[in-house]
Each structure stands twice: as structure tokens, then as C-alpha cells.
Amino acid sequence: MILQIATTIIGCTANKLSDHTIEKNDQPNVLHYAENFSFEKTPQGITITIKEPFKGATNPKRYLLTDKTDSIMQDMYDAVIQVPISSMAATATSQIGFLDALQAEVFLTGFSTTDFISSPTFRERIATKQVVELGRDVNMDIEALITLSPDLLVVYSATSDVSHWDQIEHFGIPVIFDASFLETSPLAQAEWIKFFAALVGKTEEADSIFSAIEQNYNELLVSTKIYQNTPTVIAGTMYNGTWFMPGGKSWVATYINHAGGEYLWKDIQQTGSAPLSFEAVYVRSLNADFWIGATAFKTFDQLINEDERYLKFNVVQNKSIYSPTKRMNGLGGNDYYESGIVRPDLVLEDFIRILHPEVLPDNDLFYYKNLE
């Protein structure tokens, strides 16, 4: 059973997800995990409501997707989008991951910082000047954006200050908030592929792709039920002397739990990271079995050179440290923050291979690598 599951998952790469049968359906996709947005079919089209469009938002955002804009009461919505769109600009690498999975690369004409893109398909479009660099957040080149004139700009904000995005709407470019990062589970975030599919007219494809991902993920969950031990795990990294430890409700904590591990900081009741002193982490985590998510480091020597106190941990002495930097390009783009958002099944597979190699014997990690 386990070998069969392992073979199935290994063989089901991003390109093969589209092998699932696609059935025509003019209704919006049904959501099973995502809680921060919803679809509603109306006579005018499809209304998308985003419950918390950005961190700290007190009001939802409502967007109407329609094939006709005549006789629409524009003031009822934050934006009215004629779909399918023909072009868009984006600001986050996770958005690249969703478009890549949908094979919708032709729709992207502008991006905030193109060096951060890792997808070979999009890198080729950048090289041939089909994707324009726009700049990040408040430093976005508004003149370049206006010249590009995309049908919409997809943005995200981890703070409640979104005034710079509000200004862009004054130039006639609809701004759509992507709040997938505020979902509380990996599958919920991955289900935002249906949000992007609705914009580019690929709802059937999105349903098929997500169903395959969901099936793979749940089969992996079944495989971990047979583990004989529960290794202890720490996560996060220090910055300027402060260790930022992911909360017990974070995606990292979810992956550790689903992969059959015990997260030593699961009592932090939040989705974001908690700032901790080195001493606080040391007392609780001295004898941890694994350290997963040392995102700031690519090599063991780099980690030690940053702070020799890391050597006090058994997990460092044993070199049981894993960083999601295996699929980084030379420009700094990291596929973990791109396709990894869309493929939680592949991320979970990495966690299982690290914590329970007896379940998935082949130790060929996809996003993570051992800092040894």
C-alpha cells in the first residue's frame, strides 16, 4: 500500500495533474477548504467576495466577473471585470505558481520584481520582454503600469496600509486583492487556483487540477498513520538576534503534524511567527530531532558562520537541518514560494520523507534539502 502511494505521488508532477478528466461546467467552482473567499452565481455573472482581503481588513471586497458590462451598477462592487481577461499584472510569486499550474502564462504582462520568478516558462517570457518589471509596492512604476494597461492588477498586502493600491484604481486599472496567504491550511491556500482560474476562463481545468492535488495530499495523510515514532521538530530562523518561530496554527506546523511529527512550539496559538530569544528556544529545543525550515541558509557553514550558538543544539550537531532552498535559481527566485503554494501535496511529501523515510523510502526531496 505504501509503495503504491509513493509511486503514485512521485509520478504525479505538476505537468501530469492535467491528465484528470475535465468536464464542462458553466458554474463557479465549489470550494471545499478555502474560507477567505467565495463564489456566487448571479444573473450578471459571478461575484467573488474576499472576506479579509488584506491583513487587518475590516470590510470584505466584492468583485463581479461578467462577460457583459452594460447595465451593471458599478458602485455595488469594488471592481467589475470583463472575463475572460486578456492581460494582467501581478505582485507575488505565489500568483505565478497559480498561473503556471493553469498553463495561463500568456495572461501575465507585468510583475513587481521579475528576478524572484523561478518558473522556466515565465523566465523565457521575461527574457523575450513579454513580461515587464514594475517595481514593488509603494515603489511600483505607475507610469510603466499605465503604459502596460493590463486588464487588472493582482496585489496582496500583509498590512492594513493599502493606500498605494487605492491610488492605482484612479488610473482606471482594477486592483484585485489576492488574500490566499491568510488561509489557515495548505489545501485552503492551494484552492485559490480556482480564484485565478475564474479570471482567465479556466474553471474546469482548475477543478481538475485541485482535485488531483487534494487526492494526493489525502493519500499521503493515510500513509503516515503507520509510523512507529513521533520525532520532535523546531522551525524558523534567527534574524538580528531574534528567533522567529512559526505559530502552532501556521502551515509549517500543519505540515509537521500531518507528516507525523511533534512540533515543539505548537502551543503558540497563531498563524504567524512569534519573536523569541535564543535562550527561550534553546531551553525547549535543545534535544529536538529535526529543524525544518531554516529558510535563511543554503549551506551548513553559512548557518554556523551566522551564529555559532547554533552548535549548541543536538539537531545542528547531527546535521538534521532542512531548508526549502533546493529549487532556487541564481537570481534568488525560489520555487518553494511559487509552485510550492499550489502543490501542498509535494511539500507534505518532503516533510514525510524527512520525518519518516520508512514510509516513503526514496529520499529524493523536491523543495527541501539537507544542510550537511
Side-chain angles (χ1 to χ4, degrees), residues 126-177:
I126 293 167
T128 54
K129 310 298 183 182
Q130 296 179 79
V131 177
V132 176
E133 179 153 337
L134 298 172
R136 298 183 64 184
D137 300 332
V138 296
N139 296 317
M140 180 170 284
D141 187 337
I142 304 300
E143 185 176 342
L145 179 65
I146 295 172
T147 300
L148 190 64
S149 188
D151 290 340
L152 56 87
L153 171 66
V154 183
V155 304
Y156 78 101
S157 180
T159 71
S160 58
D161 183 7
V162 295
S163 55
H164 51 292
W165 299 133
D166 293 338
Q167 294 174 4
I168 290 175
E169 293 182 315
H170 296 157
F171 297 102
I173 300 174
V175 174
I176 306 296
F177 278 86

Side-chain angles (χ1 to χ4, degrees), residues 199-218:
L199 298 175
V200 300
K202 293 203 171 198
T203 57
E204 294 88 354
E205 290 91 333
D207 191 58
S208 177
I209 291 169
F210 182 77
S211 293
I213 292 169
E214 177 189 26
Q215 179 180 340
N216 293 346
Y217 194 98
N218 289 332

